[in-house]
Amino acid sequence: MSETTGAHRAHAVTLTVNGVLHQVTVPARRLLSDCLRHDLGLTGTHVGCEHGVCGACTVLLDGEPIRSCLTFAVTVDGHEITTVEGLAEGGALSPVQRAFTECHGLQCGFCTPGFLCTVTAFLRDNRTPTDEEVLEAVSGNLCRCTGYQNIIKAVHRAAEIQAEESG
Amino acid sequence: MTTKLFGEPVRRREDARLITGQGRFLDDLGANALAAAFVRSPHAHARIRDVDVSAALDVEGLVAIYTWEDLPGLIAEPLPLLIPHPALTHGRTGHALARDVVRHVGEPVVMVVAADRYVAEDACALIEVDYELLKPVVGVEEAAEAVNLVHADVPGNIGAHLVQEVHSAAGTSAREAIEAAPHTLAFRLDIERSASMPLEGRGVYARWDADDESLRVYSSTQTSTSVRMAVAAKLGLALPKVEVIAPDVGGGFGVKIVHPWPEEILVPWAARLLGREVKWTEDRREHFISSAHERAQVHHVRVGFDDDGRVLGLDVNILHDHGAYTPYGIIVPIITSTQLVGPYKIGAYRVEFTSIYTNTVQVTPYRGAGRPQGVFCMERTMDRIAAHLGRDRTEVRAANFIQPGEFPYDQGMTFQDGRPLIYDSGDYPESLRMLKELIGWDSFPATKAEAAAEGRTIGIGVGCYVEGTGVGPYEGGHVQITSDGRVHVSTGLTSQGQGHETVFAQIAATELGVPIERVSVVTGDTRRFGYAVGTFASRAAVMSGNAIALACRKVRDKALKVAADALEADPRDLEITDGVVHVAGAPSASIPLATVAVLSNPLRYAFDQEAQRATQFAGPSSDDRPPVEDGEEPGMEGRDYYSPIRSTFASGMHAAIVETDPLTAEIKILRYVVVHDCGKLINPMIVEGQIHGGVGQGVGGALYEKMAYDEHGQLLNASFMDFLMPYATEVPRIETAHLETPSPLNPLGVKGAGEAGVIPVSAVVAAAIEDAEGITIDRMPISPSDLYSLRTDTRLRKIQ
Ligand code: FES
Ligand code: FES
C-alpha cells in the first residue's frame, strides 16, 4: 500500500504477538483484529460484531483483555499481545483450554478464543474465584451456542486444574 | 464388541483445533482474495431511479462495480423459490442485486470488488443511488389491511393462505365442536420477531481455476450440496466443475439453510469473471438487515372443552409476517399449524394461516422454526382452560395426552415434509411425572406462600412440545477403510457446532469395531460426498447417523467376507475387535482390518510393503475367477443412504420458577428444568449441550430479543448493543433429565435433538410470570417495562 494521507497513511508498527516480534506497515484505520487476522495471519482471533459487544475478538494486551475490534493497530506499537494461538505453552494446552474441552464449553467454537483469553487473564489474577466472580468474569462475552452453563463449569474446572498443577 | 462408543459422553474431536485458534472459518480462508462489499438499500420501499458510480471510480484499489444491469443470463433472474407449495399462490423472491424496486432496508443494490474490505467500503460510500420513495408496509396487521402493497402484483399483500381441518372421530368440525362444548374461550396471542443470529455471519469465498475451468466455493452454509447445484445452474457450469465446501461454521440456527444467497451467486460469478479469488464476509449490521428473521406471528385462538379440560374443538387463525420475500416458502407457518397440537389429542382442529408481505427482512426458519409460536398457543390455551376450570395446569394437560399405548398416533394432518403427521413413539405421562418431581410441582404452592410471606413474588410454569425431527428426503454416508487401517467417513450435510465429527465417529467406531482414534469424519464437502439435503430440522443425527451406520454395515459385511477367505473361516463366525477381524472365541485366528483393506483391492503395482500382499503373484487366487468378483468392487468402502418414510417425533417438557420484582418488575428465572426425550442418545454430553444452547436462545426470545422496526421500516436495533442476546448473567442454570423412547423408524432408534431446547421457553416463562403476577400474559417477549405497564393497566382496570 502506498503512502497517502490521513486515515490511509501507512504507519510502521512493531508488536510482539505470542512472543514473536512483528513489524507491519498499516494504515492508521487498520483495526488490531484485522491486523492480527489478515496482516499476521493469526486467524484464531474472531470478529463477531466489530462494535465491541460480543467479545469474540478479545486478546490480551500486555496481559489484560481488550477488544481488538475497538483497537487501532497503530496504538499497540511496542506492546505485547497474546492471542488464542499463544495460550498453549510449548505445545501443551493450558488449563483453561483443557477445561473448555473437558466440560464441553464450546460448540461452534467461534466465540471460544474470546472466552479463553478473558478467562486466562481472570484466573491468573483470581486463582480461587467464587461462583459470582466467575459469572461476572464471563459476562462480557456472547455465546450463541452453549447457553453458558458448560462455559461456567469450564472456568471452575480450569481453576481446579490450575490449583492442582501449581500445588 | 469392545469398542462400543454409542451412548457414551465421548469428548469432542472438533475441540482440538477450535481451542487453539486453528479452526478454519470462512473469513480465515483466502488470505489473498479480493474483497466484496455491497451498497444496500437504506429505504424499506423505493424505486431505484439511477445509480451513479462515477465518484467511486478513482478509489485506489477498486477492481469492479456491478449493478443489476451487469448481471448476465440466469444471474439476473429472480432468486429461486426453494420450497414451492400449492397454497403459496403469490411467492416472490428478490434478485441478486435489486432490479428497479427495493423492498427492505438492507437489500443489495450494488456490488463492489476491491483490494481489501476497507477500500471496498470506501467505494461503496461514494456510490450514489437515487431512490424514489414508495410507501413502506410495516407490521403484519397493517400489511393485511393492504392500504399499500409490497409487491404491486400481489393483491392484499397475501402470499399464501392455507386452511387445515381435522374433524373429530365422530365427524364434527372444530367450529361445530366449539359451539357445542360446555366451555369456550377466545383470545389472541402474539410473538415478536427474533433471529438466529449466529456469532459468525454469512460469508462466501470463491476461486476460479482458469486452467482447469473449475470453480471452488467456500460458504458458511448449512447446505453445501444445494449451494453447489444452485451455483452451477446460475453460472451455467457443469455440476462436476463446481465444488462447494462448508468450512468450520460459527453457528447457523436456521438462517444459513437459505440459499443461494445473492452473495453466493455474485461472489463466484465475479471470481470467474475477474479470474481472481473473491471473498465476502458479512458484517453484523448486514446480518441484521439482509439475512433473515423469524417468529413474528399473531394468533387468534378459540377453544371448546369439557369439565375435565379435554379439548373438544380448537380453532386457530394465524397471521404470519414473512417479510419482503418468500425464498423458503411457507415452512414456518406450516410447522406452527401442524406442531401446535403437541402431545395432545385434540377433538377437532381447524387451523388457518395467512402469510403476509411486509417491507422488512425476509422470514425463514430459526431454530424451532414455527414451533415456539405453536407451543405458545397450545400451552397458553391449556393454562387458560385450567384457570377457567380452577384445575391444576398439569392435570388439564394430562387429561389431553396421547397415551403410550396409542402410538403410532395419526394427527390427521400433512407435516412440513409433505408426509402424514404420524407420531412414532413417546411417553408423555412419564415425562410429566418426571418433570413435576424434578421441579417440585406439588409442593410449589407452599413455597410460593412462604415467598409471599417474605414479600417476594414467585410463580411456576410448565410447557410441553412435540417436535417432528429427522425429516427426509434422505442423507447418505460413505465409509472407506484404507490400507493403513484408517476409517474415513463422509456425509454431505454440514456442521455448525453440533459435534458431528464426534457423534458420527462414535457410530462408525461402534459399527466397525475400530478404535475411534482411527476414524475421521468429513461433513459438508461436496468433493467427498455430493448427495445431501442439509442440516436443519434436527435431522443430522437421524439422517446422516443412520446412513453412516448402514454404510458401515456394508463395509463390515465386505470386510468379514474378505477376512473369511483369508482365514478360511465362515464369515458368520467372525467378529471385529479393536480393528482386528478374528474368529469368535479364537483370537489367534485373526487379520487386521488394514490387511483386509489391502486384500480387497487387487493390485498390479507394489508401491509399498503392504501393497505387495495384494499384487497378482502374491497369494493364492483362483485362475477361473476374476480378481474382482462379479457384483463386487475393489476397495474396502461402502456407501448407503437413509431415507425414512416419515419424520420421527421427539418430545419434551420444561418447567420454570420465576421471581418478579414488586418494584422494578425485573424478571428473574430462579429454576429451569427440562425433561427431554430424543430416543436413543448417541452422546449425552452433546445432547445436553444442545439443550442448554436451545434454552439459552429461548430465554433470549422470552425476555429480551425483538426486532424493533419503526413505521418507516427502519430496524432500530440492528446491533449487538441494542438487540439484546443473553449473556451468561441472563441464562439460568438448566437442570435436565432424559427419557429414552427409541424411534421404531430407524436402525439406531434416534430422534433429533438440535432445536428442542428453544421450543417451549416462551410458553413456560409466560406461564410462570402469569402465575407470579396474576396478570394474563398473552404476548412475548416480555421486558420489565412491559410487565410494569401490564401491572399499571391491570390496576387501572380494577379501579374502573
Ligand atoms: S468483534 Fe470485537 S467485540 Fe465483537
Ligand atoms: S460456541 Fe458458538 S458462539 Fe459460542
Side-chain angles (χ1 to χ4, degrees):
Chain A
M1 194 171 293
S2 63
E3 295 257 338
T4 47
T5 51
H8 303 261
R9 215 183 79 210
H11 299 264
V13 177
T14 306
L15 67 173
T16 306
V17 185
N18 304 328
V20 179
L21 192 72
H22 293 273
Q23 278 198 306
V24 289
T25 308
V26 292
R29 62 176 176 172
R30 192 85 161 153
L31 299 176
L32 177 58
S33 49
D34 287 334
C35 174
L36 292 169
R37 292 177 46 75
H38 302 308
D39 296 316
L40 301 181
L42 293 168
T43 54
T45 300
H46 296 155
V47 174
C49 67
E50 236 174 9
H51 47 253
V53 183
C54 74
C57 66
T58 304
V59 298
L60 305 180
L61 172 65
D62 300 326
E64 294 308 317
I66 56 137
R67 312 241 140 161
S68 62
C69 77
L70 294 185
T71 308
F72 289 119
V74 289
T75 65
V76 302
D77 187 33
H79 290 269
E80 292 216 16
I81 308 275
T82 306
T83 68
V84 65
E85 288 96 339
L87 296 181
E89 278 170 36
L93 294 178
S94 75
V96 179
Q97 287 170 312
R98 273 180 279 156
F100 266 70
T101 176
E102 218 180 275
C103 300
H104 188 27
L106 60 146
Q107 290 182 25
C108 78
F110 198 78
C111 68
T112 312
F115 275 97
L116 293 174
C117 288
T118 304
V119 172
T120 299
F122 169 65
L123 291 180
R124 179 200 59 213
D125 298 341
N126 185 349
R127 304 183 73 85
T128 52
T130 64
D131 290 357
E132 261 312 296
E133 287 166 341
V134 166
L135 188 62
E136 170 84 29
V138 297
S139 69
N141 291 60
L142 283 172
C143 172
R144 194 60 164 165
C145 295
T146 62
Y148 302 104
Q149 191 155 322
N150 288 342
I151 291 179
I152 289 168
K153 202 163 132 194
V155 181
H156 286 291
R157 177 68 190 130
E160 221 173 84
I161 300 176
Q162 193 172 268
E164 281 163 21
E165 294 185 354
S166 64
Chain B
M1 214 176 282
T2 56
T3 27
K4 172 140 176 38
L5 291 156
F6 189 101
E8 296 298 316
V10 173
R11 288 215 199 138
R12 297 203 332 160
R13 324 178 85 218
E14 292 82 348
D15 291 0
R17 64 176 186 276
L18 297 174
I19 55 171
T20 51
Q22 303 304 315
R24 281 288 166 268
F25 295 87
L26 195 283
D27 190 51
D28 305 343
L29 311 170
N32 298 314
L34 298 173
F38 291 85
V39 176
R40 298 182 184 274
S41 172
H43 304 296
H45 200 190
R47 185 176 304 282
I48 300 169
R49 282 207 208 101
D50 181 47
V51 180
D52 180 0
V53 303
S54 51
L57 296 176
D58 294 334
V59 171
E60 197 182 312
L62 175 73
V63 176
I65 300 179
Y66 304 107
T67 67
W68 180 81
E69 255 104 48
D70 300 310
L71 305 179
L74 290 176
I75 299 176
E77 296 290 308
L79 295 163
L81 201 165
L82 290 170
I83 310 182
H85 188 284
L88 180 57
T89 51
H90 294 77
R92 295 290 180 273
T93 56
H95 290 80
L97 291 171
R99 174 190 182 175
D100 305 334
V101 177
V102 286
R103 294 189 179 82
H104 66 88
V105 171
E107 196 163 349
V109 179
V110 184
M111 175 166 72
V112 170
V113 181
D116 70 21
R117 180 64 176 255
Y118 290 72
V119 176
E121 289 190 17
D122 286 346
C124 284
L126 294 169
I127 292 171
E128 304 255 358
V129 184
D130 180 17
Y131 295 99
E132 172 195 339
L133 299 190
L134 303 172
K135 288 255 180 343
V137 180
V138 185
V140 70
E141 286 164 302
E142 292 79 347
E145 285 165 16
V147 178
N148 299 299
L149 295 182
V150 176
H151 296 269
D153 59 350
V154 178
N157 288 320
I158 297 173
H161 178 248
L162 182 65
V163 181
Q164 297 206 62
E165 172 108 55
V166 187
H167 287 189
S168 74
T172 353
S173 74
R175 287 179 172 173
E176 288 163 351
I178 295 167
E179 286 314 315
H183 311 274
T184 58
L185 289 169
F187 43 89
R188 168 191 172 138
L189 298 165
D190 287 52
I191 296 274
E192 297 205 34
R193 267 193 190 214
S194 185
S196 303
M197 213 48 72
L199 252 263
E200 182 207 30
R202 299 177 292 129
V204 193
Y205 159 50
R207 295 149 56 153
W208 172 253
D209 183 331
D211 295 333
D212 191 51
E213 297 205 309
S214 66
L215 180 70
R216 186 189 294 180
V217 179
Y218 294 82
S219 181
S220 185
T221 180
Q222 291 175 223
T223 173
S224 51
T225 44
S226 201
V227 169
R228 178 191 187 211
M229 290 191 275
V231 168
K234 280 280 187 189
L235 269 60
L237 291 168
L239 190 66
K241 287 293 186 185
V242 181
E243 299 292 357
V244 177
I245 299 146
D248 282 323
V249 173
F253 314 115
V255 64
K256 294 178 183 176
I257 192 63
V258 182
H259 66 281
W261 290 100
E263 300 86 356
E264 279 175 326
I265 301 297
L266 295 171
V267 168
W269 170 69
R272 184 182 178 203
L273 197 65
L274 298 169
R276 299 279 306 273
E277 297 182 10
V278 181
K279 181 166 76 173
W280 168 74
T281 307
E282 186 179 56
D283 69 26
R284 189 49 59 183
R285 180 169 167 78
E286 288 183 293
H287 190 75
F288 271 99
I289 62 172
S290 54
S291 62
H293 302 160
E294 208 233 282
R295 297 288 196 258
Q297 277 180 182
V298 177
H299 315 80
H300 292 277
V301 181
R302 284 186 68 229
V303 61
F305 48 98
D306 66 15
D307 295 340
D308 294 323
R310 267 192 296 265
V311 177
L312 304 173
L314 179 66
D315 184 2
V316 183
N317 197 324
I318 301 169
L319 268 186
H320 173 77
D321 172 0
H322 62 225
Y325 299 109
T326 54
Y328 212 74
I330 45 174
I331 286 297
V332 173
I334 288 178
I335 296 178
T336 302
S337 305
T338 47
Q339 299 258 263
L340 191 143
V341 291
Y344 308 115
K345 292 185 276 191
I346 301 299
Y349 178 49
R350 181 182 190 282
V351 60
E352 170 176 2
F353 72 75
T354 312
S355 198
I356 305 271
Y357 285 99
T358 57
N359 287 118
T360 59
V361 171
Q362 67 191 20
V363 166
T364 68
Y366 155 39
R367 195 180 203 168
R371 293 178 190 86
Q373 300 94 311
V375 168
F376 186 65
C377 277
M378 191 72 247
E379 295 303 297
R380 296 278 57 213
T381 301
M382 287 294 166
D383 288 343
R384 296 240 185 178
I385 294 172
H388 183 84
L389 296 173
R391 281 178 179 269
D392 181 271
R393 288 170 282 168
T394 59
E395 219 177 88
V396 168
R397 285 171 169 84
N400 286 285
F401 276 158
I402 297 162
Q403 297 302 310
E406 292 177 306
F407 293 97
Y409 186 85
D410 189 348
Q411 286 283 18
M413 280 178 280
T414 303
F415 192 43
Q416 63 144 322
D417 52 3
R419 302 258 160 171
L421 184 68
I422 300 174
Y423 295 177
D424 52 341
S425 63
D427 189 344
Y428 310 140
E430 176 60 11
S431 284
L432 185 62
R433 191 198 61 72
M434 289 167 69
L435 185 81
K436 286 174 71 174
E437 192 178 301
L438 254 176
I439 192 101
W441 182 269
D442 291 330
S443 59
F444 185 74
T447 318
K448 189 177 176 177
E450 274 165 40
E454 295 165 15
R456 295 170 55 218
T457 320
I458 63 171
I460 194 167
V462 61
C464 313
Y465 68 90
V466 169
E467 182 198 1
T469 68
V471 304
Y474 73 87
E475 286 297 334
H478 179 260
V479 178
Q480 181 180 22
I481 305 176
T482 43
S483 57
D484 52 6
R486 281 197 266 204
V487 180
H488 310 272
V489 176
S490 62
T491 185
L493 59 62
T494 58
S495 304
Q496 303 82 40
Q498 299 91 336
H500 295 148
E501 284 174 52
T502 306
V503 294
F504 295 157
Q506 284 178 261
I507 292 171
T510 306
E511 292 288 338
L512 291 172
V514 299
I516 195 166
E517 297 72 34
R518 259 186 240 171
V519 184
S520 63
V521 176
V522 168
T523 62
D525 184 338
T526 62
R527 296 171 301 179
R528 289 288 298 276
F529 206 97
Y531 288 90
V533 185
T535 298
F536 57 93
S538 306
R539 67 192 296 279
V542 182
M543 302 303 300
S544 283
N546 279 292
I548 289 165
L550 294 171
C552 285
R553 288 174 196 183
K554 274 193 177 171
V555 175
R556 186 171 191 275
D557 286 348
K558 185 169 183 183
L560 294 188
K561 211 159 125 195
V562 174
D565 270 355
L567 296 171
E568 294 177 358
D570 186 324
R572 283 168 302 188
D573 297 335
L574 297 181
E575 279 178 1
I576 312 178
T577 309
D578 272 342
V580 177
V581 189
H582 61 91
V583 178
S588 57
S590 70
I591 177 170
L593 270 178
T595 312
V596 176
V598 170
L599 297 178
S600 71
N601 183 22
L603 294 175
R604 184 169 179 85
Y605 309 112
F607 49 82
D608 66 10
Q609 269 192 345
E610 274 293 340
Q612 264 182 33
R613 304 176 64 168
T615 51
Q616 291 146 312
F617 302 100
S621 72
S622 165
D623 289 342
D624 46 17
R625 277 161 57 190
V628 178
E629 299 271 4
D630 272 358
E632 291 290 348
E633 290 171 3
M636 192 51 66
E637 61 182 316
R639 178 187 300 270
D640 211 339
Y641 293 86
Y642 174 64
S643 181
I645 47 163
R646 55 181 172 264
S647 300
T648 83
F649 289 83
S651 64
M653 299 181 189
H654 295 193
I657 297 174
V658 304
E659 174 161 6
T660 54
D661 189 295
L663 221 56
T664 63
E666 194 191 337
I667 303 159
K668 193 167 162 46
I669 301 174
L670 300 179
R671 280 188 69 201
Y672 202 95
V673 170
V674 174
V675 174
H676 181 251
D677 184 353
C678 62
K680 289 264 201 206
L681 299 175
I682 306 171
N683 183 325
M685 176 189 85
I686 284 176
V687 172
E688 291 260 339
Q690 288 293 315
I691 295 170
H692 292 170
V695 171
Q697 280 178 317
V699 168
L703 297 176
Y704 308 103
E705 296 167 11
K706 62 175 164 191
M707 293 293 171
Y709 273 104
D710 71 5
E711 71 273 25
H712 308 293
Q714 293 293 341
L715 185 56
L716 301 179
N717 61 343
S719 83
F720 281 172
M721 281 294 276
D722 304 307
F723 177 82
L724 303 177
M725 302 205 304
Y727 286 100
T729 33
E730 279 72 50
V731 181
R733 203 174 80 77
I734 299 149
E735 305 162 54
T736 47
H738 296 280
L739 182 66
E740 291 189 48
T741 52
S743 171
L745 296 183
N746 62 70
L748 298 176
V750 297
K751 301 177 178 183
E755 295 168 278
V758 81
I759 294 172
V761 184
S762 279
V764 172
V765 172
I769 296 172
E770 183 170 296
D771 183 48
E773 293 277 328
I775 297 174
T776 306
I777 306 296
D778 54 13
R779 56 183 311 138
M780 293 294 268
I782 182 168
S783 66
S785 36
D786 294 333
L787 179 58
Y788 191 87
S789 41
L790 276 178
R791 281 178 182 169
T792 318
D793 294 349
T794 314
R795 233 174 284 138
L796 285 177
R797 230 176 294 131
K798 275 185 189 150
I799 296 166
Q800 286 159 7

